[in-house]
Each structure stands twice: as structure tokens, then as C-alpha cells.
């Protein structure tokens, strides 16, 4: 087919015209979806990726299915750490969440003592979280009377009970992060952080949003102090250590102390 103009400025498709007509909005949607598929490569060969892919093709206009961009060949994410999801755990947790049913299971994790592993926990499954290749369940634990994050691969013997729970209005995990944007970790303690960042890291850190209230103080061309509040201590510590010699924590005191312990331990390992 080809596109030709008829009377009264109306347009028709003439046989032989093969190009698809994409609106600018549709093109943007295709690019967005292709990018999302790229990000989800961490979860390829898992039920998550398969289900999301099916959803894409259901909600995207038919015209988008033939787009080379949608295949992620032109919009891609560099090789990422992959995570193997236990499909049986995934399916049972999803079914429980759909019905707001409590689950019972043993949580077997290396950081738990063996005796505690034998405890069958009753959980209210609120939300599944995807964080850097790992899949977590955010749930209320009846055993502890608190909310926790659980690696879904560490569950054994999941059973869906007949007992329903009432999903809180504020169940979303992001509401527990107190403005912090460093992934799947939260605590009740909000702290003010100050980190001096230098060299290449100073340019890199300014291109990201680590917390809703972050501010930067320019010391010179290659040195900056970032200040923000967060309840994600372990993640902030991880961020500082990942920047190596390019980061020096200034506050709070416990972050400074933890950083010094890690740096000293690394130095001692180097000299063994």
C-alpha cells in the first residue's frame, strides 16, 4: 500500500504501502516498553519475565509488535546479575496476595540460627519487590508482630491458609523508606547523612537521586558534599563503600565508625 491524498484532504491507504503509521505517543510507548524489557533481563527465564512479556503484548497496540525497538535489540541494558526464582514459591505467594490470604512457611536463611529455621511463620503477604536481581516479599510477620523483607527463595514449605487478612491502606514498601531511594531496606531510624565525594565519583553522584531531600555543596571543581536523610543505613554504607577512595562519610557518627572498620579490615586483608 501507499499513502495518497484524496479529495477534501482525506487520506487513504493504497495497495503497496508497507510502512506502519506510528503516532509520536505510540513511538514513545514502544521505546519505554523496550527499555523496561531490557531492565527485566535480570529476571529472564523466570515466571516474572514471562508474565510481563505476555502483558506487554496484550496492552501494546498491535502495530507496536512489529517494531524492532520492542525486541530490545536496539534499546538494551548491559549484562546484569541474574537471579533464579523458585517458581513454586512465586506462584503460591502471588495466589495468596490475590486473595489476601495468610501464608505459612519456614524461612531458611544462612543468617538465621538452625533452631529458628524450624519455626513455621505465619505471614501476611503485602507486596513483591524487585531489587537488583533479587525478589523479596514484603510481609507482616505474626511471629514478630512486625513487617519484614524476605528473600522468596529462602522459603520452604509454603502453604496458603484459609485465613484472610486486611491489607493496610499504606501497605506500599516505598512509604517505609522515609524519602530514601536506595532499594529494599528500611528501618524505624531516620538519620541525616553527609558524605564528601571527590574525583569522578563527584560527577556521577550528582546525576542520581538518592533521597527526596538531597542537597549538594560544591567545595571545588571535583569535590562535593551530599546531604540527605534516610532510614536505609545498610544501603547508604554500601553506597559509600562502592565509591572506594572517592567517598568519605562525615555523618552520622555510626556510619563513619562502620566505614573505618571496613577500610581497616580491607587493609589488614591486603597485608595477610
Amino acid at each position: 500500500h501507499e499513502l495518497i491524498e484524496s479529495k477534501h484532504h482525506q487520506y487513504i491507504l493504497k495497495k503497496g504501502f508497507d510502512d506502519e503509521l506510528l503516532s509520536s505517543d505510540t513511538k514513545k510507548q514502544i521505546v519505554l516498553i523496550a527499555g523496561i524489557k531490557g531492565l527485566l533481563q535480570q529476571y529472564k527465564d523466570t515466571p516474572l519475565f514471562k508474565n510481563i512479556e505476555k502483558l506487554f503484548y496484550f496492552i501494546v497496540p498491535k502495530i507496536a509488535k512489529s517494531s524492532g525497538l520492542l525486541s530490545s535489540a536496539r534499546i538494551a541494558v548491559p549484562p546484569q546479575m541474574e537471579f533464579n526464582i523458585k517458581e513454586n514459591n512465586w506462584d503460591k505467594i502471588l495466589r495468596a496476595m490475590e486473595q489476601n490470604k495468610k501464608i505459612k512457611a519456614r524461612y531458611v536463611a544462612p543468617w538465621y540460627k538452625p533452631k529458628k529455621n524450624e519455626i513455621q511463620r505465619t505471614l501476611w503477604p503485602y507486596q513483591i519487590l524487585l531489587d537488583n536481581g533479587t525478589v523479596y516479599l514484603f510481609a507482616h510477620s505474626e511471629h514478630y508482630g512486625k513487617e519484614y523483607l524476605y528473600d522468596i527463595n529462602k522459603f520452604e514449605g509454603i502453604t496458603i491458609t484459609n485465613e484472610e487478612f486486611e491489607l493496610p491502606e499504606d501497605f506500599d514498601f516505598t512509604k517505609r523508606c522515609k524519602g530514601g531511594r536506595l532499594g529494599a531496606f528500611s528501618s524505624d531510624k531516620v538519620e541525616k547523612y553527609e558524605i564528601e565525594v571527590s574525583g569522578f565519583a563527584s560527577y556521577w553522584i550528582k546525576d542520581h537521586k538518592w533521597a527526596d531531600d538531597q542537597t549538594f555543596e560544591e567545595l571545588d571543581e571535583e569535590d562535593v558534599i551530599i546531604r540527605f536523610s534516610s532510614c536505609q543505613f545498610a544501603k547508604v554504607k554500601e553506597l559509600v563503600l562502592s565509591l572506594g577512595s572517592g567517598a568519605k562519610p562525615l555523618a552520622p557518627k555510626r556510619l563513619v565508625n562502620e566505614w573505618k572498620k571496613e577500610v581497616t579490615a580491607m587493609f589488614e586483608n591486603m597485608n595477610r
Side-chain angles (χ1 to χ4, degrees), residues 68-99:
L69 289 176
L70 192 55
S71 69
S72 293
R74 300 297 298 276
I75 299 177
V77 174
Q80 301 286 310
M81 172 179 57
E82 293 181 10
F83 188 74
N84 179 39
I85 302 175
K86 288 185 178 178
E87 292 199 28
N88 190 48
N89 287 0
W90 169 270
D91 291 340
K92 286 185 176 179
I93 290 171
L94 278 187
R95 290 205 305 272
M97 288 198 303
E98 287 173 354
Q99 304 171 50

Side-chain angles (χ1 to χ4, degrees), residues 30-216:
I30 293 172
V31 172
L32 174 62
I33 291 170
I36 293 172
K37 284 187 67 179
L39 291 173
L40 285 172
Q41 287 300 319
Q42 297 177 89
Y43 306 93
K44 71 180 183 179
D45 299 324
T46 69
L48 170 64
F49 186 83
K50 296 170 188 174
N51 292 340
I52 291 293
E53 192 170 42
K54 288 179 183 177
L55 178 61
F56 284 160
Y57 283 104
F58 177 75
I59 64 176
V60 177
K62 182 179 179 181
I63 198 169
K65 296 182 181 180
S66 61
S67 170
L69 289 176
L70 192 55
S71 69
S72 293
R74 300 297 298 276
I75 299 177
V77 174
Q80 301 286 310
M81 172 179 57
E82 293 181 10
F83 188 74
N84 179 39
I85 302 175
K86 288 185 178 178
E87 292 199 28
N88 190 48
N89 287 0
W90 169 270
D91 291 340
K92 286 185 176 179
I93 290 171
L94 278 187
R95 290 205 305 272
M97 288 198 303
E98 287 173 354
Q99 304 171 50
N100 285 340
K101 293 285 184 69
K102 298 179 183 180
I103 63 171
K104 289 187 176 182
R106 289 190 300 119
Y107 191 62
V108 182
W111 49 89
Y112 276 32
K113 293 181 180 179
K115 288 184 179 180
K116 288 187 177 181
N117 287 338
E118 300 305 315
I119 297 174
Q120 188 178 56
R121 308 187 186 285
T122 300
L123 305 174
W124 306 0
Y126 287 171
Q127 194 173 31
I128 283 180
L129 305 177
L130 313 177
D131 184 43
N132 197 28
T134 303
V135 181
Y136 294 101
L137 171 66
F138 178 48
H140 172 83
S141 168
E142 288 192 354
H143 181 74
Y144 290 110
K146 295 175 64 176
E147 297 168 345
Y148 283 95
L149 285 173
Y150 299 90
D151 180 336
I152 72 166
N153 273 11
K154 300 297 186 294
F155 284 121
E156 289 188 359
I158 296 178
T159 58
I160 303 173
T161 72
N162 291 322
E163 193 175 355
E164 294 185 7
F165 67 91
E166 185 174 346
L167 186 67
E169 290 185 6
D170 64 343
F171 72 91
D172 190 353
F173 175 78
T174 59
K175 296 181 179 179
R176 312 295 193 275
C177 296
K178 310 295 194 302
R181 294 176 172 270
L182 291 170
F185 185 91
S186 70
S187 69
D188 296 329
K189 188 174 183 180
V190 180
E191 297 176 277
K192 297 286 186 179
Y193 291 90
E194 290 189 20
I195 306 166
E196 184 176 336
V197 187
S198 59
F200 174 78
S202 68
Y203 298 104
W204 177 80
I205 202 164
K206 287 186 287 186
D207 285 336
H208 297 77
K209 190 168 186 177
W210 309 103
D212 290 344
D213 64 350
Q214 71 183 30
T215 60
F216 295 97

Side-chain angles (χ1 to χ4, degrees), residues 241 244 257-269:
L241 291 170
N257 292 338
E258 286 285 319
W259 173 73
K260 287 180 178 178
K261 286 180 183 178
E262 290 289 347
V263 172
T264 300
M266 286 188 283
F267 180 76
E268 290 175 350
N269 283 339

